[in-house]
């Protein structure tokens, strides 16, 4: 399968990890704008660990999220490994966040 | 340093949720350009895209506009026309596979629903762009390129098209509202139309 397809699957995997938690709104993508929106709706501070890690993953996949017509890249293996590691870190960071039920404004608290 | 604008702004094809696509052509690593804002390409890599006949090279060649050049040279125009597009078979298989995977995920789970619908839109749009390059008369790069292929256009009902396009804007720009359950059900019921259209274009390209 193509590098392009692999990167899309990496993005899907990361979104599935994040959206396994019942946030007020799912994370729709890994563009900066999509992360901003999700953080705002989830009551997540921009400097929180989860948001910071998501931005790191976004940087590595940025042309997938934002520049989809470019189908070339360099050093694919490194980026792929970075994203896999970040996905694990994000899963652990989310586990440290207590999520209140989806009623009214969303709030989160670090355990 | 050379800065270009390309995409919907150059086509006058703007809509809520549109962004401004910017290209920076640089001599080497240049921290002034945020990769989240600019597509950053060294000169040599841009020339390589031209030599490959890459769809992105064609996109830039057809519609990019120079905004700033520190040496007064329009480096994109100097590259002239990219090599002919020859990667149809690989690209078409890639985008069809992208569609198939998204459709499969949509059939079994909903936790990445918007992303999957957005992926369907991406696969359809990119296949349409590549088809227009393969046919060669007048390449199209618009968001709804699939509607501008003449007799090869995808005939998709308004609602399905809007659900897919809105998902794409939501996933990439964080703009808009998510689809309703009824919207999703409607779009899913029409994915077979998309499948048939993609297979039809791929079959034409294989002849």
């Amino acid at each position: 399968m193509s590098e392009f397809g692999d990167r899309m699957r990496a993005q899907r995997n990361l979104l599935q990890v994040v959206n396994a938690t019942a946030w007020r709104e799912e994370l729709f993508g890994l563009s900066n704008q999509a992360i901003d929106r999700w953080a705002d709706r989830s009551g997540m501070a921009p400097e929180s660990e989860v948001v910071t890690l998501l931005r790191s993953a976004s940087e590595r996949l940025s042309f997938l999220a934002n520049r989809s017509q470019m189908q070339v890249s360099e050093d694919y293996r490194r980026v792929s490994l970075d994203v896999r590691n970040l996905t694990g870190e994000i899963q652990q960071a989310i586990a440290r966040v207590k999520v209140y039920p989806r009623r009214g404004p969303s709030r989160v608290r670090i355990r | 340093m050379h800065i270009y604008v390309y995409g919907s702004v150059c086509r006058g094809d703007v809509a809520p949720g549109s962004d401004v696509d910017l290209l920076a052509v640089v001599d080497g690593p240049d921290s002034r350009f945020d990769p989240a804002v600019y597509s950053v390409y060294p000169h040599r890599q841009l020339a390589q895209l031209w030599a490959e006949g890459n769809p992105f090279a064609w996109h830039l060649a057809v519609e990019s506009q120079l905004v700033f050049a520190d040496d007064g040279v329009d480096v994109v125009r100097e590259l002239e026309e990219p090599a002919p597009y020859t990667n149809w078979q690989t690209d078409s298989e890639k985008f069809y596979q992208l569609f198939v995977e998204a459709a499969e995920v949509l059939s079994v789970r909903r936790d990445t629903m918007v992303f999957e619908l957005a992926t369907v839109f991406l696969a359809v749009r990119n296949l349409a762009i590549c088809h227009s390059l393969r046919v060669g008369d007048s390449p199209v790069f618009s968001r709804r390129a699939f509607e501008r292929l003449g007799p090869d256009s995808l005939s998709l009902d308004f609602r399905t098209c809007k659900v897919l396009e809105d998902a794409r804007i939501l996933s990439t720009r964080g703009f808009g509202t998510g689809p309703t359950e009824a919207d999703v059900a409607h779009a899913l019921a029409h994915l077979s139309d998309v499948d048939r259209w993609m297979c039809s274009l791929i079959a034409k390209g294989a002849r």
Side-chain angles (χ1 to χ4, degrees):
Chain A
M1 180 55 183
S2 69
E3 168 191 328
F4 185 73
D6 284 347
R7 285 177 172 232
M8 290 300 279
R9 277 198 290 275
Q11 188 175 185
R12 173 180 292 125
N13 185 42
L14 209 162
L15 293 176
Q16 285 173 347
V17 163
V18 173
N19 293 336
T21 298
W23 307 106
R24 187 175 171 205
E25 184 176 89
E26 71 186 58
L27 177 60
F28 295 129
L30 285 178
S31 65
N32 280 328
Q33 296 98 318
I35 293 171
D36 286 344
R37 175 184 173 125
W38 176 80
D40 180 60
R41 308 268 164 125
S42 305
M44 205 62 92
E47 67 278 9
S48 66
E49 185 184 15
V50 175
V51 174
T52 303
L53 288 167
L54 283 172
R55 290 204 190 286
S56 295
S58 172
E59 272 178 31
R60 285 157 178 78
L61 294 167
S62 63
F63 87 36
L64 259 197
N66 296 321
R67 306 276 180 260
S68 55
Q69 288 183 45
M70 285 184 286
Q71 298 152 32
V72 295
S73 69
E74 48 195 39
D75 212 355
Y76 152 68
R77 287 178 198 279
R78 178 184 56 76
V79 173
S80 178
L81 185 62
D82 284 352
V83 172
R84 201 178 312 149
N85 292 339
L86 281 166
T87 301
E89 288 181 47
I90 288 166
Q91 192 164 26
Q92 290 167 20
I94 287 174
R96 290 192 286 274
V97 175
K98 180 172 178 60
V99 182
Y100 292 92
R102 303 186 194 205
R103 243 182 269 134
S106 176
R107 293 173 298 142
V108 295
R109 185 174 67 191
I110 305 298
R111 279 177 181 152
Chain B
M1 172 178 67
H2 302 82
I3 301 174
Y4 289 83
V5 63
Y6 66 98
S8 58
V9 168
C10 293
R11 296 188 300 269
D13 192 14
V14 292
S18 293
D19 65 345
V20 177
D21 292 312
L22 294 168
L23 168 76
V25 186
V26 296
D27 296 319
D30 194 327
S31 59
R32 290 174 296 182
F33 296 108
D34 178 355
V37 177
Y38 293 86
S39 300
V40 185
Y41 274 78
H43 282 98
R44 186 181 295 177
Q45 197 179 351
L46 201 66
Q48 191 182 334
L49 292 183
W50 249 252
E52 291 168 0
N54 185 288
F56 187 55
W58 276 100
H59 190 168
L60 293 174
V62 169
E63 68 176 28
S64 68
Q65 300 286 330
L66 180 65
V67 176
F68 176 80
D70 53 7
D71 58 3
V73 176
D74 186 337
V75 292
V76 166
R77 300 284 99 74
E78 282 211 330
L79 286 168
E80 299 181 346
E81 190 169 275
Y85 173 65
T86 57
N87 212 30
W88 163 257
Q89 188 171 346
T90 306
D91 284 345
S92 60
E93 286 170 5
K94 174 171 63 184
F95 295 129
Y96 183 62
Q97 186 63 28
L98 202 62
F99 162 76
V100 167
E101 288 185 17
E104 281 176 359
V105 174
L106 279 168
S107 71
V108 294
R109 56 193 295 173
R110 296 294 171 90
D111 53 353
T112 53
M113 191 172 58
V114 169
F115 173 75
E116 308 304 343
L117 293 169
T119 300
V120 169
F121 188 85
L122 170 66
V124 165
R125 189 197 63 185
N126 283 9
L127 187 76
I129 289 170
C130 290
H131 174 78
S132 77
L133 283 167
R134 182 185 70 78
V135 173
D137 296 339
S138 49
V140 288
F141 299 99
S142 64
R143 186 187 283 165
R144 290 197 176 193
F146 51 86
E147 291 180 335
R148 301 185 182 184
L149 301 177
D152 291 331
S153 295
L154 170 61
S155 178
L156 201 57
D157 70 287
F158 176 82
R159 187 178 180 187
T160 303
C161 200
K162 184 161 175 23
V163 170
L164 298 177
E165 185 175 37
D166 286 354
R168 178 70 188 158
I169 294 169
L170 198 50
S171 182
T172 55
R173 313 284 169 232
F175 179 86
T177 54
T180 64
E181 280 294 323
D183 284 337
V184 174
H186 181 89
L188 292 185
H190 287 79
L191 288 189
S192 55
D193 297 337
V194 175
D195 193 352
R196 273 193 295 277
W197 173 78
M198 293 185 93
C199 289
S200 151
L201 282 198
I202 291 168
K204 281 185 182 179
R207 278 178 209 149

